[in-house]
Amino acid sequence: MKLRWNRSRPGRYLLIVLAVGGFLLLFRVGEKGFWPSSEDRTAEVVREMRKTGDFLVPRMRGEPLVTKPPLLHWLIVGTTSALGLNEFAIRLPSLCFTLGTAVILFVVGRRFLHVRAGLLAAVVFLTAPGLLQHWRTAKIDVFLTFLVTAALFSFFFALNRTRRRAGLYALFFGLVGLAGMAKGPAGMAPPLLVAVGYLALTRQWLVLRRVPWAWGVPAILVVGLWWYGAILIRLGGWSGLSDVTSSGASTYFGWQHEIAPAVSWFYIPRILADFFPWSFFLPVAIVVAARKARARAGPIFGFLVMWLAVYFVLFSLLGKKAGRYILPLYPAAALLVGFVWHEAMQKALSRWPSRSIRAAAVAVAIVYLVGLALVVSLAADINYESWYVTRRWTESKDRFILTEISGLMRRHLPITLAVGAGLFGAFAAGAALYRRRGAWAFGLLAAAAAGTSIAYNAAIVPTLDRMLSPRHFARHLRTIVPDDTPLAAFPQADDCTHFYLDRAVEVLPTRPQLRDWCIKPPPRYVFMLEDDLRTASGVVYEWFRLVDDTASYRGQKLLLFENKPAHSPDPTNP
């Protein structure tokens, strides 16, 4: 089947994608501090790379962290060297990769579907508030999403060309190898499964044999795994690696060792929440794509369905689960939803303004507002400790974050409904302009879809940031504790705390370690949350004095203590 290029003035639509995406990604992106997540580890690894000058071995608190290759860290070192060590510079590569992924969706949608379907796919990808919070962070999975999207569509383009395919295949294998350099083996396997699974499902056995696996797979292994060999040499072989992984680094070579079990259907509610409101249309989009694939209406539909299936099934089978692991699934989901929206609008508005269409619009408006109210209200009442994950997986900080978000959503419910109503009106106005003023209509649709994300980042994120980011108390402690003075945390410290204090803080997880700390020559400082004081009170009251209690973190006072120069009892005696 020969695929034609749609020639309906793509330039103005591409400008809409760049304008809306650029604004959403840059809006207050440097104002939010690092929260306890994978982003804080990325920032701290970059800080220690710059400080030590060792760019081969990632480190956390001075210990080698060999869980993932450092490709993203190297890119961030470049941006922070130019712009300084700050939130914006650390997140800038992710912003570029996200915008690049949206542009790829637009180009692919235009090439294989319709120019407006490509635009809607890019808008869907950029405007789901839950996803946007990922796209605006320095996470490896955001980088991986770009690499996987570019790799798989390079492969798909190669399949649908009659000549000069070697370059596209080389690009596919090279990008899959880079996915390995970003995420390790877990980044390389799923794209290969999508490619092979699609050809097997569509029974393209001859094409499967013609793909240059003989040199492509070795190229993937060289590009994606050379760092592991270099690390083995640097650490002194397997014995040196064993010393690192057993000395508190909490990692295995290329994979985290801790087990975080969750139920097999963990990702169903995650997709519904992260892809909201577009997740409501995803089941319909999958059914439509499956039917078109069976009817041979276009090869892209079967490819996208296979993409979704591989990532969803594969990561659902793994014992360890996290929402960010399936981020590479969403470009395929966005393209399918964008196509369904395009077809629905084109069919419905061709009969506009019939009475049935007006009635349907009113009904959709009512369902939208009622659904929004229900979603916000239910999110505030969910017991996150027992909901669909084991208690071992849901840590206290995760429950705190989710509880605070749900409480804020409830307090902002009237404003949320008002914003939702206004945005729906703008969306309806854009749909009304669809037939005559295409670019203006889709620009209004994109702006309306982006409004919920803007409202969330302007109203809710700053409140959460004051509670969930150590940035505020860390900068306060830096004015009290000199940089060359020993500082510790009891019983734990978030990774982003080390970043904001610009030092590796020693962690004292037990009372005996706290006693050992206090008997060393002063001044030595230790900070802890007010709730943790009860655990350490027997040591603190005897051997420390309170220096400051004006900072707060996660809704509690943060207490800073300094060890005393003289002691009366024996501090080693419990």
Side-chain angles (χ1 to χ4, degrees):
M1 175 181 178
K2 186 177 180 180
L3 299 166
R4 64 183 180 84
W5 185 280
N6 191 302
R7 300 180 181 276
S8 32
R9 295 186 179 182
R12 63 183 67 180
Y13 294 106
L14 182 59
L15 288 176
I16 292 173
V17 172
L18 295 175
V20 173
F23 176 74
L24 280 175
L25 294 169
L26 292 172
F27 181 70
R28 298 177 59 89
V29 69
E31 300 300 317
K32 172 183 170 294
F34 298 122
W35 298 355
S37 68
S38 61
E39 184 185 29
D40 55 356
R41 291 194 293 273
T42 300
E44 176 59 13
V45 167
V46 169
R47 185 190 73 83
E48 296 196 29
M49 272 188 177
R50 286 165 50 95
K51 186 173 183 179
T52 63
D54 184 358
F55 299 104
L56 181 65
V57 183
R59 298 180 184 275
M60 282 291 301
R61 298 192 291 272
E63 293 286 342
L65 184 73
V66 295
T67 307
K68 300 293 186 295
L71 181 57
L72 178 62
H73 304 115
W74 294 341
L75 297 174
I76 297 176
V77 166
T79 58
T80 54
S81 298
L83 302 175
L85 197 64
N86 55 64
E87 291 88 345
F88 174 75
I90 289 174
R91 291 170 177 148
L92 181 58
S94 291
L95 308 184
C96 296
F97 295 134
T98 300
L99 194 58
T101 305
V103 170
I104 291 174
L105 291 178
F106 171 76
V107 171
V108 172
R110 175 183 179 245
R111 173 67 175 87
F112 295 106
L113 299 171
H114 191 281
V115 63
R116 291 167 183 164
L119 172 63
L120 282 173
V123 168
V124 166
F125 179 77
L126 290 167
T127 55
L131 283 184
L132 190 61
Q133 302 314 305
H134 288 292
W135 306 145
R136 289 158 49 90
T137 58
K139 293 182 178 179
I140 294 174
D141 302 272
V142 178
F143 183 27
L144 180 67
T145 299
F146 169 77
L147 293 172
V148 168
T149 303
L152 287 176
F153 283 130
S154 297
F155 183 80
F156 186 72
F157 269 76
L159 295 180
N160 291 279
R161 289 177 67 101
T162 57
R163 57 180 182 173
R164 297 180 181 177
R165 292 180 294 188
L168 289 171
Y169 283 132
L171 182 60
F172 166 69
F173 291 125
L175 289 170
V176 172
L178 288 177
M181 271 299 294
K183 186 75 173 180
M188 297 188 294
L192 292 174
L193 288 176
V194 173
V196 174
Y198 168 71
L199 293 178
L201 183 67
T202 54
R203 299 181 180 179
Q204 300 184 56
W205 308 114
L206 182 60
V207 177
L208 182 61
R209 288 195 297 269
R210 288 178 178 175
V211 175
W213 305 108
W215 60 262
V217 172
I220 290 175
L221 297 177
V222 170
V223 174
L225 301 180
W226 71 266
W227 176 80
Y228 292 95
I231 283 292
L232 278 174
I233 295 173
R234 171 68 72 86
L235 297 179
W238 292 108
S239 60
L241 175 65
S242 178
D243 292 339
V244 168
T245 55
S246 62
S247 61
S250 298
T251 57
Y252 281 154
F253 194 41
W255 195 262
Q256 290 180 317
H257 83 281
E258 68 269 20
I259 298 175
V263 294
S264 58
W265 47 275
F266 172 88
Y267 287 113
I268 294 177
R270 283 310 304 253
I271 292 174
L272 291 174
D274 289 347
F275 203 40
F276 177 84
W278 311 113
S279 51
F280 289 159
F281 307 100
L282 184 57
V284 176
I286 294 174
V287 171
V288 170
R291 288 179 177 176
K292 287 188 173 292
R294 286 198 300 268
R296 300 183 183 277
I300 193 170
F301 298 105
F303 188 75
L304 294 176
V305 171
M306 176 58 65
W307 185 338
L308 288 173
V310 166
Y311 273 88
F312 180 79
V313 173
L314 180 62
F315 284 94
S316 294
L317 293 175
L318 295 179
K320 183 179 180 182
K321 297 178 175 66
R324 65 181 184 274
Y325 291 171
I326 60 166
L327 289 183
L329 169 151
Y330 291 107
L335 201 53
L336 289 178
V337 171
F339 172 74
V340 166
W341 263 94
H342 162 69
E343 278 212 330
M345 290 173 62
Q346 196 150 4
K347 290 178 180 178
L349 295 175
S350 63
R351 298 188 295 271
W352 186 273
S354 67
R355 182 176 299 178
S356 59
I357 296 298
R358 288 199 298 269
V362 173
V364 169
I366 294 173
V367 170
Y368 172 83
L369 294 177
V370 172
L372 185 62
L374 288 175
V375 168
V376 174
S377 301
L378 290 174
D381 293 328
I382 288 177
N383 180 0
Y384 294 103
E385 182 174 356
S386 59
W387 183 53
Y388 86 90
V389 294
T390 64
R391 295 192 178 190
R392 182 179 177 185
W393 188 88
T394 308
E395 300 176 12
S396 58
K397 66 180 178 63
D398 299 316
R399 295 197 300 272
F400 178 82
I401 292 173
L402 292 169
T403 303
E404 289 298 324
I405 290 176
S406 63
L408 283 168
M409 290 173 70
R410 174 178 284 179
R411 291 196 292 272
H412 287 80
L413 182 58
I415 299 175
T416 303
L417 294 177
V419 170
L423 296 176
F424 185 84
F427 204 88
L433 293 171
Y434 174 81
R435 294 181 65 190
R436 295 184 178 179
R437 303 287 181 184
W440 284 103
F442 276 87
L444 192 55
L445 292 174
T452 52
S453 297
I454 296 171
Y456 178 80
N457 280 286
I460 295 180
V461 170
T463 303
L464 291 173
D465 192 54
R466 287 192 292 271
M467 294 183 292
L468 302 176
S469 174
R471 172 173 57 176
H472 310 282
F473 83 76
R475 290 177 176 174
H476 177 68
L477 293 186
R478 289 186 66 181
T479 64
I480 302 173
V481 183
D483 291 340
D484 58 347
T485 303
L487 177 64
F490 176 87
Q492 61 183 355
D494 295 323
D495 295 330
C496 39
T497 302
H498 310 291
F499 174 84
Y500 285 118
L501 286 170
D502 196 23
R503 64 170 75 180
V505 179
E506 186 167 343
V507 179
L508 310 173
T510 64
R511 287 180 59 173
Q513 289 174 303
L514 184 61
R515 294 189 192 99
D516 292 340
W517 181 265
C518 73
I519 64 175
K520 293 179 180 178
R524 287 177 175 265
Y525 294 88
V526 62
F527 63 88
M528 65 186 72
L529 294 176
E530 193 171 32
D531 278 358
D532 296 324
L533 180 61
R534 289 174 298 188
T535 305
S537 59
V539 178
V540 168
Y541 290 144
E542 291 289 341
W543 305 109
F544 292 88
R545 65 180 183 87
L546 181 65
V547 176
D548 183 82
D549 63 352
T550 59
S552 63
Y553 183 47
R554 296 183 187 167
Q556 297 184 47
K557 280 186 177 181
L558 190 86
L559 308 175
L560 178 66
F561 294 93
E562 179 186 3
N563 61 339
K564 298 177 182 178
H567 313 292
S568 47
D570 180 5
T572 60
N573 186 16

